[in-house]
Amino acid sequence: MSDIIQLLPDHVANQIAAGEVVQRPASVVKELLENAIDAGATEIKLILKEAGKTLVQVIDNGKGMSVTDARLSFERHATSKIRSAEDLFQLNTKGFRGEALASIAAIAHVELKTKQEADELGTQIVIEGSTVKSQDVVVTPKGTSVAVKNLFFNIPARRNFLKSNTVELRHVTDEFHRVALAHPSIGFSMFHNGSELFSLNSSNYRQRVVNIFGTKTNEKLVPVEETTEVLKVSGFVGKPEFSKKTKTEQFFFVNDRFVKSPYLNHAINAAFEGLLKDGYHPSYFLNLTVDPKTIDINIHPTKTEIKFDDEHTLYAILRSSVKHSLGQFNIAPVLDFESDANLDTPYDYKDKSGKTPTITVDRSFNPFKNDFQQVKTHSRTGNQLKTQAHWESLYVGLESKSNASPIDFSEVTYESDTKTESIFKSNEVTQEKTTYQLRQKYIVSTIKSGMLIIDQNRAHQRILYENLLKQLTSKEATTQQLLFPLNISFSTSDTTIVKQLQPDLEFAGFEFSEVKEDQVIITGVPVGVPESEVSIVFEQLISDVENDVPDQNFSASDLLAKSMAKSLAIKTGQTLNAEEQEHILNSLFACKEPSVSPTNKTTFITLGVDDIEKKFM
C-alpha cells in the first residue's frame, strides 16, 4: 500500500495559517499596528479603502528594517522577539510568533517599504500570494510602510464571507480603538476613502479616552488607582447614570495588550451591583499590570484571551478597587456606622479650643408668685356664678324621657337622590373578559380548538415592525416636533453610523437640525415615540449595526424597522389592562406574518383540547 501522508507545500501551509491569523481586514490592521508599535514608532498612520477590502496601509516612523530583515520578515516563524522557549513566558511585546506577515502575504498583494535611520536608501519588496515579485532599492523616509491590497484575492470563498463595508469598517475601528487606547503616548491617525476619521495626538490616558469617545465622556469618568504586590490597576470606570445597553465601551488592557475576560468583567459588574438598571452595562477603561511570568498569552490565535495563574486574587482586587473608587467619589452610597455627620467639627472651628459655658442664676426669682394670687382672686368673683347659670340654661324647655311618646318609625321618610336614566339607552350586555395576562409576559385567550398563548413582547415587535416598514417604504411617516431640541452625545464612530442611516431615519419620522462629530441634535421624532426613548432607540440601532445585522441581504429600512420595533415594544413585566390585551391580540392577527417576530422567533402557541386532556390522563 502506497504512502498517503505528505508534507504540504509552503503556499498551502501559509494559507491555512492565514485562516487562523487573518479573518477579516480588522485582523490585518491589528497585526500591522502592533508591528509598528514594536518598532518603536511615535507616529502611526492607517489608510483604508472600502473598509480594508481593497487597501490596508500602515505607515510608521519606527526604526525600520535592513535588507535581510525585510526579506526574512515574510518567512514563517521568523520573529525578532523570541530567542528561546523561556522567552514565551516573559513577553512584553505584541507580535511574537512570526506568522503575521507570512499569512497576510499568502492571501493578498503586499508592498513593503522600509529604511533604517543609518541607511541612505531603503528596501521595497512586492509579494503576491506568497510569491516574491520584486525586491528593489527605493528612496523612502525612515520607518516602515506596509500596503496590503486585494485581501483574499486568491480565496474567493473567504472574500464572499466578508460583511458589508459598514460592518467591516466598524471592526477595523474597534481594533484601532484598542491599540490607540493601550498606547496614549503614540500619535495615531486613520483615513478611510480619503477622509480623516481620527487624528489622535500624543497625550495622557484620560485625554486619549475623551478624544476617541467624544468630549462628553470626560464628565462620565471616575478614576481607579490601586497598587498591590500582585496587580496594579489604573484607568477609569463610567458613572452608573451613563451606562449603556451595549458593551462597546468596555476595555481591559493587560500589560498594554487588549484582552477579553468574562471572569474579570464579572468582577466589574459585581462592583456596580445595585447601581445599574436591568439590561445596562458599565463602561470601563482599565489597565492591569501583572508579572509576565504569571500569564499565558498564546492560548488563542488572536491573542485576545489570556490565562492568569491566580484569577481569584485578581478578581477580588479588581472588584474592591472599582468599588472603592465609586465610594470615594460619592458615586455609590457608603454606610459608616461609626461616625455621625452631625457630630463633625465645623470647618471654621477646627483649630479653636472649647470654652466652658458660664451660668448665672437668680435664686430669689419665683415665677409663680404673682400668678397664683391672681388665679385665686379670680376664682372667687362672679365669674363662677355666671358659669353655673350658663350651664343651667341648657336644660330649660326639655322634658323627661319618661313623658315623651314613642316614635312611630313607619311614618319616617328618608331623603334620597333622584334616579335618572342614561341619555343613551343601551341594551348591550357587558362582555366577559376573554383574555388574561400570565406573569406579565404572556397573553392567554380561548379559541374554538382550545387555548392561545401569546408572547406580548414578540407580538408587539411584529406589530410595530410591519407598521414601521410600511412608513419607511411609503416615506409617509408623521413627525412630531419637539418643543426643545434633543442633544444626544455619541462617539465619533457611532456618529458615522448615524450619518449613514440619516436618510432612512428621516423617512421614519426623525428630524435632524445638525449632526456633529460627537453630537446629534434632533428636532422631531416619529409620532408615538416618547422623547425619553429616543436615546434608547439610537443605542439599539448602533448596537445592531455593530453586531453584523446589516448584512448584504438586509436593507437599511428593514434594519431600522427591526431595531426600532425592538426598542419600542412592550417589555416583559409590563402590566396590560383588558383593552390593551385585546388590541395586541387583534393587531397581531392583522399582520402579514403573525406567527413569527421580526427576528424569526415564535410569537404564539396553541394548546388544543386534546393536548389539555392528555395532561389529565
Side-chain angles (χ1 to χ4, degrees):
M1 185 175 180
S2 59
D3 299 332
I4 60 175
I5 296 178
Q6 58 183 355
L7 292 175
L8 289 173
D10 287 342
H11 68 281
V12 177
N14 287 339
Q15 288 186 0
I16 294 173
E20 296 182 359
V21 179
V22 183
Q23 301 172 353
R24 53 187 357 132
S27 306
V28 177
V29 171
K30 175 180 181 293
E31 297 292 347
L32 296 184
L33 288 178
E34 289 182 348
N35 284 344
I37 292 170
D38 286 340
T42 58
E43 293 290 335
I44 300 175
K45 182 186 294 184
L46 171 63
I47 301 173
L48 303 169
K49 285 186 179 178
E50 294 186 8
K53 297 177 183 177
T54 303
L55 172 67
V56 175
Q57 185 175 8
V58 174
I59 304 172
D60 68 70
N61 62 347
K63 56 188 176 184
M65 291 182 284
S66 65
V67 178
T68 305
D69 288 345
R71 183 65 185 84
L72 284 175
S73 64
F74 289 98
E75 298 295 331
R76 290 193 67 194
H77 307 304
T79 178
S80 63
K81 287 104 179 180
I82 300 296
R83 291 289 183 268
S84 63
E86 287 74 16
D87 293 340
L88 289 171
F89 302 99
Q90 296 179 353
L91 289 171
N92 293 304
T93 56
K94 305 293 182 182
F96 55 85
R97 292 180 308 193
E99 290 186 356
L101 289 179
S103 301
I104 294 170
I107 54 173
H109 297 163
V110 180
E111 180 181 326
L112 170 70
K113 293 181 181 180
T114 182
K115 185 179 85 71
Q116 292 179 326
E117 189 173 9
D119 298 335
E120 294 182 359
L121 296 174
T123 305
Q124 179 182 19
I125 299 178
V126 178
I127 299 180
E128 295 180 3
S130 295
T131 304
V132 179
K133 295 296 183 181
S134 65
Q135 180 171 344
D136 302 312
V137 176
V138 68
V139 176
T140 183
K142 172 205 166 187
T144 305
S145 169
V146 182
V148 179
K149 305 174 184 177
N150 306 321
L151 194 64
F152 298 125
F153 80 99
N154 53 355
I155 312 178
R158 289 291 300 272
R159 189 174 180 87
N160 292 336
F161 272 99
L162 294 178
K163 305 293 183 181
S164 63
N165 286 353
T166 304
V167 178
E168 294 299 339
L169 180 61
R170 182 67 191 184
H171 284 286
V172 172
T173 306
D174 287 343
E175 291 293 347
F176 182 81
H177 286 172
R178 293 166 182 174
V179 176
L181 283 172
H183 302 275
S185 60
I186 301 176
F188 290 89
S189 58
M190 176 176 170
F191 299 84
H192 181 245
N193 292 341
S195 61
E196 185 181 75
L197 298 184
F198 291 95
S199 179
L200 308 174
N201 298 323
S202 176
S203 61
N204 59 35
Y205 192 56
R206 189 182 193 112
Q207 289 174 335
R208 178 56 56 88
V209 173
V210 171
N211 290 337
I212 291 178
F213 295 99
T215 54
K216 291 285 185 180
T217 311
N218 192 35
E219 64 188 54
K220 307 176 185 178
L221 301 179
V222 178
V224 179
E225 291 287 341
E226 191 69 43
T227 302
T228 65
E229 295 179 355
V230 180
L231 171 69
K232 179 183 178 183
V233 184
S234 64
F236 304 93
V237 295
K239 295 180 181 178
E241 59 265 30
F242 297 107
S243 59
K244 292 189 172 185
K245 298 189 75 173
T246 61
K247 298 182 179 180
T248 54
E249 294 184 1
Q250 295 186 344
F251 295 90
F252 274 125
F253 300 98
V254 177
N255 295 354
D256 294 335
R257 182 191 300 273
F258 172 80
V259 298
K260 296 177 181 178
S261 176
Y263 187 70
L264 296 184
N265 179 69
H266 189 275
I268 304 295
N269 291 331
F272 276 88
E273 186 177 2
L275 300 175
L276 299 176
K277 295 183 286 187
D278 290 339
Y280 283 77
H281 306 280
S283 301
Y284 53 82
F285 313 89
L286 296 175
N287 296 301
L288 311 180
T289 304
V290 298
D291 187 351
K293 297 180 181 179
T294 62
I295 58 176
D296 185 3
I297 301 171
N298 201 24
I299 65 169
H300 193 273
T302 60
K303 294 173 286 186
T304 55
E305 296 181 13
I306 64 177
K307 187 178 184 304
F308 298 95
D309 284 352
D310 191 359
E311 286 187 332
H312 297 288
T313 303
L314 300 184
Y315 182 99
I317 295 174
L318 189 59
R319 177 178 175 273
S320 301
S321 302
V322 174
K323 203 158 191 174
H324 173 69
S325 293
L326 293 175
Q328 184 179 11
F329 290 91
N330 296 325
I331 306 301
V334 178
L335 294 178
D336 190 352
F337 297 101
E338 297 180 358
S339 64
D340 186 353
N342 297 323
L343 301 178
D344 292 342
T345 304
Y347 183 79
D348 292 340
Y349 294 91
K350 67 186 182 89
D351 297 327
K352 296 181 180 180
S353 59
K355 295 182 180 180
T356 305
T358 57
I359 301 175
T360 56
V361 180
D362 184 6
R363 300 187 181 278
S364 63
F365 176 72
N366 184 1
F368 304 105
K369 182 178 181 181
N370 297 329
D371 292 344
F372 177 75
Q373 294 177 351
Q374 291 177 2
V375 172
K376 189 174 181 181
T377 305
H378 180 69
S379 62
R380 294 178 178 178
T381 59
N383 190 36
Q384 185 177 5
L385 299 175
K386 290 180 181 179
T387 304
Q388 293 177 354
H390 174 70
W391 284 102
E392 289 176 356
S393 64
L394 294 176
Y395 299 93
V396 176
L398 293 179
E399 299 178 357
S400 62
K401 294 183 179 180
S402 59
N403 297 331
S405 59
I407 301 174
D408 186 5
F409 286 98
S410 62
E411 298 178 357
V412 177
T413 59
Y414 299 94
E415 184 180 357
S416 62
D417 296 333
T418 57
K419 186 177 181 180
T420 57
E421 295 183 357
S422 175
I423 299 175
F424 302 101
K425 293 184 179 180
S426 176
N427 296 326
E428 295 181 359
V429 180
T430 304
Q431 295 183 351
E432 295 182 358
K433 188 175 180 180
T434 58
T435 59
Y436 174 76
Q437 190 178 20
L438 178 63
R439 292 190 175 274
Q440 297 178 331
K441 182 177 182 180
Y442 302 104
I443 299 174
V444 183
S445 180
T446 56
I447 53 177
K448 290 183 179 179
S449 60
M451 183 184 298
L452 177 71
I453 304 176
I454 300 173
D455 187 308
Q456 66 184 35
N457 176 258
R458 295 180 184 177
H460 200 212
Q461 280 190 41
R462 166 53 63 177
I463 297 166
L464 292 175
Y465 169 70
E466 294 200 1
N467 291 338
L468 289 167
L469 197 59
K470 183 178 179 181
Q471 293 176 2
L472 287 167
T473 51
S474 63
K475 301 178 182 179
E476 296 179 352
T478 307
T479 302
Q480 178 180 352
Q481 296 295 322
L482 297 176
L483 184 61
F484 300 103
L486 186 63
N487 296 342
I488 305 179
S489 299
F490 292 107
S491 63
T492 307
S493 55
D494 290 346
T495 308
T496 304
I497 296 176
V498 175
K499 283 182 180 178
Q500 294 172 350
L501 298 174
Q502 185 175 349
D504 294 286
L505 287 168
E506 290 174 346
F507 292 144
F510 287 99
E511 193 171 293
F512 302 89
S513 67
E514 193 174 2
V515 179
K516 301 180 182 178
E517 288 187 0
D518 57 354
Q519 195 176 43
V520 175
I521 302 176
I522 301 171
T523 57
V525 297
V527 174
V529 178
E531 185 177 343
S532 59
E533 297 283 333
V534 174
S535 59
I536 298 175
V537 170
F538 277 87
E539 283 182 16
Q540 185 65 57
L541 179 62
I542 292 170
S543 173
D544 289 339
V545 174
E546 293 168 353
N547 294 331
D548 302 358
V549 173
D551 202 348
Q552 296 162 352
N553 300 326
F554 293 88
S555 64
S557 301
D558 187 75
L559 162 69
L560 183 57
K562 285 182 178 178
S563 183
M564 290 182 63
K566 189 188 302 182
S567 302
L568 301 173
I570 294 170
K571 303 297 187 292
T572 298
Q574 185 171 340
T575 304
L576 304 176
N577 58 35
E579 186 177 355
E580 291 169 337
Q581 295 170 24
E582 285 283 349
H583 176 72
I584 288 182
L585 180 66
N586 297 330
S587 300
L588 176 63
F589 289 100
C591 294
K592 294 181 180 179
E593 295 287 343
S595 58
V596 293
S597 69
T599 53
N600 292 324
K601 294 181 180 178
T602 305
T603 57
F604 68 87
I605 59 171
T606 56
L607 287 176
V609 176
D610 295 338
D611 297 329
I612 298 174
E613 288 180 349
K614 288 179 182 178
K615 301 293 183 181
F616 292 94
M617 293 177 64

Short mmCIF file of all heavy atoms in Angstrom, two decimals, residues 64-95:
data_model
loop_
_atom_site.label_atom_id
_atom_site.label_comp_id
_atom_site.label_asym_id
_atom_site.label_seq_id
_atom_site.Cartn_x
_atom_site.Cartn_y
_atom_site.Cartn_z
N GLY A 64 12.63 50.79 11.44
CA GLY A 64 12.81 50.21 10.11
C GLY A 64 13.57 48.89 10.15
O GLY A 64 13.94 48.38 11.21
N MET A 65 13.80 48.34 8.94
CA MET A 65 14.47 47.04 8.82
C MET A 65 15.57 47.12 7.79
O MET A 65 15.53 47.91 6.84
CB MET A 65 13.46 45.96 8.40
CG MET A 65 12.43 45.62 9.45
SD MET A 65 11.32 44.30 8.92
CE MET A 65 10.25 45.19 7.79
N SER A 66 16.56 46.26 7.96
CA SER A 66 17.62 46.12 6.96
C SER A 66 17.11 45.31 5.78
O SER A 66 15.99 44.79 5.80
CB SER A 66 18.84 45.44 7.60
OG SER A 66 18.51 44.11 7.97
N VAL A 67 17.96 45.17 4.78
CA VAL A 67 17.55 44.42 3.58
C VAL A 67 17.26 42.97 3.92
O VAL A 67 16.25 42.39 3.50
CB VAL A 67 18.67 44.51 2.50
CG1 VAL A 67 18.28 43.70 1.27
CG2 VAL A 67 18.92 45.96 2.14
N THR A 68 18.13 42.38 4.73
CA THR A 68 17.94 40.97 5.10
C THR A 68 16.70 40.78 5.97
O THR A 68 15.90 39.85 5.77
CB THR A 68 19.18 40.44 5.85
OG1 THR A 68 20.33 40.66 5.06
CG2 THR A 68 19.03 38.96 6.16
N ASP A 69 16.51 41.68 6.94
CA ASP A 69 15.34 41.57 7.82
C ASP A 69 14.04 41.75 7.04
O ASP A 69 13.04 41.07 7.32
CB ASP A 69 15.42 42.62 8.93
CG ASP A 69 16.47 42.28 9.97
OD1 ASP A 69 16.92 41.12 9.97
OD2 ASP A 69 16.84 43.17 10.76
N ALA A 70 14.07 42.65 6.07
CA ALA A 70 12.86 42.88 5.27
C ALA A 70 12.46 41.62 4.51
O ALA A 70 11.27 41.30 4.40
CB ALA A 70 13.10 44.04 4.30
N ARG A 71 13.44 40.91 4.02
CA ARG A 71 13.13 39.68 3.27
C ARG A 71 12.72 38.56 4.22
O ARG A 71 11.79 37.80 3.94
CB ARG A 71 14.38 39.25 2.48
CG ARG A 71 14.15 38.03 1.60
CD ARG A 71 13.15 38.33 0.49
NE ARG A 71 12.84 37.13 -0.28
CZ ARG A 71 11.92 36.24 0.08
NH1 ARG A 71 11.24 36.39 1.21
NH2 ARG A 71 11.69 35.19 -0.69
N LEU A 72 13.38 38.44 5.37
CA LEU A 72 13.07 37.36 6.31
C LEU A 72 11.73 37.57 7.01
O LEU A 72 11.14 36.61 7.52
CB LEU A 72 14.18 37.23 7.36
CG LEU A 72 15.48 36.57 6.92
CD1 LEU A 72 16.51 36.62 8.03
CD2 LEU A 72 15.22 35.11 6.51
N SER A 73 11.24 38.80 7.06
CA SER A 73 10.00 39.07 7.80
C SER A 73 8.80 38.36 7.20
O SER A 73 7.79 38.17 7.88
CB SER A 73 9.75 40.58 7.85
OG SER A 73 9.52 41.08 6.54
N PHE A 74 8.92 37.94 5.92
CA PHE A 74 7.79 37.27 5.27
C PHE A 74 7.92 35.75 5.34
O PHE A 74 7.09 35.04 4.76
CB PHE A 74 7.69 37.71 3.80
CG PHE A 74 7.22 39.13 3.65
CD1 PHE A 74 8.12 40.15 3.45
CD2 PHE A 74 5.87 39.44 3.73
CE1 PHE A 74 7.70 41.46 3.32
CE2 PHE A 74 5.43 40.75 3.60
CZ PHE A 74 6.34 41.76 3.39
N GLU A 75 8.94 35.25 6.03
CA GLU A 75 9.06 33.81 6.22
C GLU A 75 8.27 33.38 7.45
O GLU A 75 8.09 34.14 8.40
CB GLU A 75 10.54 33.43 6.39
CG GLU A 75 11.40 33.74 5.19
CD GLU A 75 11.03 32.92 3.97
OE1 GLU A 75 10.52 31.77 4.16
OE2 GLU A 75 11.24 33.40 2.84
N ARG A 76 7.79 32.16 7.42
CA ARG A 76 7.01 31.64 8.56
C ARG A 76 7.90 31.47 9.78
O ARG A 76 9.06 31.04 9.67
CB ARG A 76 6.36 30.31 8.21
CG ARG A 76 5.23 30.42 7.20
CD ARG A 76 4.45 29.13 7.15
NE ARG A 76 3.74 28.89 8.40
CZ ARG A 76 3.20 27.72 8.74
NH1 ARG A 76 3.33 26.68 7.93
NH2 ARG A 76 2.57 27.59 9.88
N HIS A 77 7.35 31.81 10.94
CA HIS A 77 8.03 31.66 12.23
C HIS A 77 9.33 32.47 12.28
O HIS A 77 10.29 32.06 12.94
CB HIS A 77 8.33 30.19 12.55
CG HIS A 77 7.11 29.32 12.45
ND1 HIS A 77 5.97 29.55 13.15
CD2 HIS A 77 6.86 28.21 11.69
CE1 HIS A 77 5.06 28.63 12.86
NE2 HIS A 77 5.58 27.81 11.97
N ALA A 78 9.35 33.59 11.59
CA ALA A 78 10.51 34.49 11.65
C ALA A 78 10.13 35.67 12.54
O ALA A 78 9.19 36.41 12.23
CB ALA A 78 10.90 34.97 10.26
N THR A 79 10.84 35.83 13.65
CA THR A 79 10.49 36.90 14.59
C THR A 79 11.75 37.42 15.28
O THR A 79 12.75 36.69 15.40
CB THR A 79 9.49 36.40 15.66
OG1 THR A 79 9.23 37.45 16.58
CG2 THR A 79 10.04 35.19 16.41
N SER A 80 11.70 38.65 15.71
CA SER A 80 12.84 39.26 16.41
C SER A 80 12.64 39.25 17.92
O SER A 80 13.49 39.74 18.66
CB SER A 80 13.02 40.70 15.93
OG SER A 80 11.87 41.48 16.25
N LYS A 81 11.51 38.70 18.40
CA LYS A 81 11.18 38.81 19.82
C LYS A 81 11.50 37.55 20.61
O LYS A 81 11.54 37.57 21.84
CB LYS A 81 9.68 39.12 20.00
CG LYS A 81 9.32 40.56 19.62
CD LYS A 81 8.62 40.61 18.29
CE LYS A 81 8.24 42.04 17.93
NZ LYS A 81 7.57 42.12 16.64
N ILE A 82 11.68 36.43 19.95
CA ILE A 82 11.88 35.16 20.65
C ILE A 82 13.24 34.59 20.29
O ILE A 82 13.62 34.51 19.12
CB ILE A 82 10.77 34.15 20.26
CG1 ILE A 82 9.39 34.71 20.63
CG2 ILE A 82 11.00 32.82 20.96
CD1 ILE A 82 9.18 34.92 22.10
N ARG A 83 13.99 34.19 21.32
CA ARG A 83 15.27 33.52 21.12
C ARG A 83 15.24 32.09 21.66
O ARG A 83 15.88 31.20 21.13
CB ARG A 83 16.39 34.30 21.81
CG ARG A 83 16.69 35.64 21.14
CD ARG A 83 17.37 35.45 19.80
NE ARG A 83 17.72 36.72 19.17
CZ ARG A 83 16.93 37.37 18.33
NH1 ARG A 83 15.74 36.87 18.03
NH2 ARG A 83 17.32 38.51 17.77
N SER A 84 14.48 31.88 22.74
CA SER A 84 14.37 30.55 23.33
C SER A 84 12.95 30.36 23.84
O SER A 84 12.15 31.29 23.89
CB SER A 84 15.37 30.39 24.48
OG SER A 84 15.08 31.31 25.52
N ALA A 85 12.63 29.12 24.24
CA ALA A 85 11.28 28.81 24.71
C ALA A 85 10.94 29.57 25.99
O ALA A 85 9.77 29.88 26.26
CB ALA A 85 11.13 27.31 24.93
N GLU A 86 11.97 29.87 26.80
CA GLU A 86 11.72 30.59 28.04
C GLU A 86 11.21 32.01 27.78
O GLU A 86 10.53 32.60 28.62
CB GLU A 86 13.00 30.65 28.89
CG GLU A 86 13.40 29.34 29.54
CD GLU A 86 13.99 28.35 28.54
OE1 GLU A 86 14.36 28.78 27.42
OE2 GLU A 86 14.07 27.15 28.86
N ASP A 87 11.54 32.56 26.62
CA ASP A 87 11.08 33.92 26.31
C ASP A 87 9.57 34.01 26.16
O ASP A 87 9.00 35.09 26.26
CB ASP A 87 11.74 34.42 25.01
CG ASP A 87 13.25 34.59 25.17
OD1 ASP A 87 13.69 34.72 26.34
OD2 ASP A 87 13.96 34.61 24.16
N LEU A 88 8.92 32.88 25.92
CA LEU A 88 7.46 32.88 25.78
C LEU A 88 6.77 33.28 27.08
O LEU A 88 5.61 33.67 27.08
CB LEU A 88 6.96 31.50 25.34
CG LEU A 88 7.28 31.10 23.89
CD1 LEU A 88 6.93 29.65 23.67
CD2 LEU A 88 6.54 32.00 22.91
N PHE A 89 7.45 33.15 28.20
CA PHE A 89 6.85 33.47 29.49
C PHE A 89 7.32 34.81 30.03
O PHE A 89 7.07 35.14 31.17
CB PHE A 89 7.18 32.36 30.49
CG PHE A 89 6.71 31.01 30.06
CD1 PHE A 89 7.59 30.11 29.46
CD2 PHE A 89 5.38 30.65 30.20
CE1 PHE A 89 7.15 28.87 29.05
CE2 PHE A 89 4.94 29.40 29.78
CZ PHE A 89 5.82 28.51 29.20
N GLN A 90 8.02 35.59 29.19
CA GLN A 90 8.47 36.91 29.60
C GLN A 90 8.23 37.91 28.46
O GLN A 90 9.11 38.68 28.09
CB GLN A 90 9.97 36.88 29.96
CG GLN A 90 10.28 36.02 31.17
CD GLN A 90 11.77 36.00 31.48
OE1 GLN A 90 12.58 36.52 30.73
NE2 GLN A 90 12.12 35.38 32.59
N LEU A 91 7.02 37.84 27.89
CA LEU A 91 6.72 38.65 26.72
C LEU A 91 6.27 40.05 27.12
O LEU A 91 5.37 40.21 27.95
CB LEU A 91 5.61 37.98 25.88
CG LEU A 91 6.03 36.70 25.16
CD1 LEU A 91 4.82 36.02 24.56
CD2 LEU A 91 7.05 37.01 24.07
N ASN A 92 6.91 41.04 26.55
CA ASN A 92 6.50 42.43 26.74
C ASN A 92 6.22 43.12 25.42
O ASN A 92 6.05 44.33 25.36
CB ASN A 92 7.59 43.21 27.49
CG ASN A 92 7.76 42.72 28.92
OD1 ASN A 92 6.80 42.71 29.69
ND2 ASN A 92 8.96 42.28 29.25
N THR A 93 6.18 42.34 24.34
CA THR A 93 5.93 42.90 23.01
C THR A 93 4.61 42.37 22.48
O THR A 93 3.93 41.57 23.12
CB THR A 93 7.07 42.52 22.05
OG1 THR A 93 7.20 41.08 22.03
CG2 THR A 93 8.39 43.13 22.49
N LYS A 94 4.26 42.81 21.26
CA LYS A 94 2.97 42.42 20.66
C LYS A 94 3.12 41.13 19.85
O LYS A 94 2.90 40.04 20.35
CB LYS A 94 2.47 43.56 19.77
CG LYS A 94 2.36 44.89 20.48
CD LYS A 94 1.29 44.88 21.54
CE LYS A 94 1.18 46.24 22.19
NZ LYS A 94 0.19 46.28 23.25
N GLY A 95 3.48 41.28 18.58
CA GLY A 95 3.63 40.09 17.75
C GLY A 95 4.89 39.33 18.11
O GLY A 95 5.95 39.91 18.29
#
